[in-house]
Amino acid sequence: MTRELAQANIAFGLSGLLALIPHWWPIAGFAGAAYLCFAFLGHLRNPGKNAQEQFALWTDAIVAVVVLVTSVYAVVAHAAL
């Protein structure tokens, strides 16, 4: 499981590099936001959360919302052009 998590982190890091290509960053943003939403749900299901997991839960949620809103805005603004 740890190896799969490491591979997922590497994959999303590589997809983040796609953000350097013009017009590709919303795609990388959607992928990252989905990953963080699933991470948030994973933390949410754990009944015995310590302080570190609480911090991870809320940072996953906040960053996912910010990235998702920014990506949607970029796609809508680009579509309006």
Side-chain angles (χ1 to χ4, degrees), residues 10-78:
I10 291 169
F12 282 106
L14 292 174
S15 73
L17 290 175
L18 292 176
L20 299 174
I21 301 170
H23 307 294
W24 280 57
W25 72 267
I27 297 166
F30 286 126
Y35 175 76
L36 289 169
C37 285
F38 288 125
F40 167 76
L41 293 174
H43 292 299
L44 195 61
R45 290 184 309 173
N46 187 1
K49 291 182 267 308
N50 60 20
Q52 289 177 327
E53 192 166 5
Q54 285 283 352
F55 180 76
L57 178 134
W58 290 111
T59 55
D60 287 346
I62 292 166
V63 174
V65 168
V66 169
V67 170
L68 188 60
V69 167
T70 305
S71 297
V72 168
Y73 176 79
V75 170
V76 171
H78 186 267

